[in-house]
């Protein structure tokens, strides 16, 4: 799950909100980590970085590949930087 909503900022909050709905659909989910997305729509750039204090770092390379499928005209990068 890649979340870009402004009202859910933290991996644990996102997971608590989404997991019950996913279970109703028959999915078993677990949070593999978190991070942040810096989205600059004017310049069509995104940067995936950071980590969740509760879950650790997600695999940002996977997140980046998911984003590239939706935002094909963006330059999307990732790093292990915390800020």
């Amino acid at each position: 799950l890649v979340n870009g909503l402004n009202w859910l900022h933290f991996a644990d909050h996102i997971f608590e909100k989404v997991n019950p709905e996913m279970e109703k659909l028959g999915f078993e989910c677990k949070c593999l980590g978190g991070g942040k997305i810096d989205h600059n729509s004017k310049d069509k750039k995104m940067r995936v970085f950071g980590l969740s204090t509760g879950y650790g770092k997600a695999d940002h390379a996977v997140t980046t590949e998911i984003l590239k499928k939706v935002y094909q005209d963006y330059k999307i990068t990732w790093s292990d930087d915390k800020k």
Side-chain angles (χ1 to χ4, degrees), residues 17-31:
K17 176 79 174 162
V18 173
N19 190 48
E21 296 301 318
M22 297 299 287
E23 286 179 342
K24 286 180 191 174
L25 296 171
F27 293 100
E28 183 178 322
C29 302
K30 86 179 195 183
C31 185

Side-chain angles (χ1 to χ4, degrees), residues 29-47:
C29 302
K30 86 179 195 183
C31 185
L32 301 176
K36 296 175 179 55
I37 301 172
D38 181 18
H39 183 179
N40 181 331
S41 58
K42 179 184 172 199
D43 295 334
K44 294 192 173 191
K45 293 181 181 180
M46 286 189 208
R47 181 176 65 103

Side-chain angles (χ1 to χ4, degrees), residues 63-75:
T63 303
T64 299
E65 291 307 309
I66 292 169
L67 290 168
K68 284 180 178 180
K69 289 177 184 177
V70 176
Y71 296 92
Q72 297 177 6
D73 56 341
Y74 271 63
K75 178 181 178 185

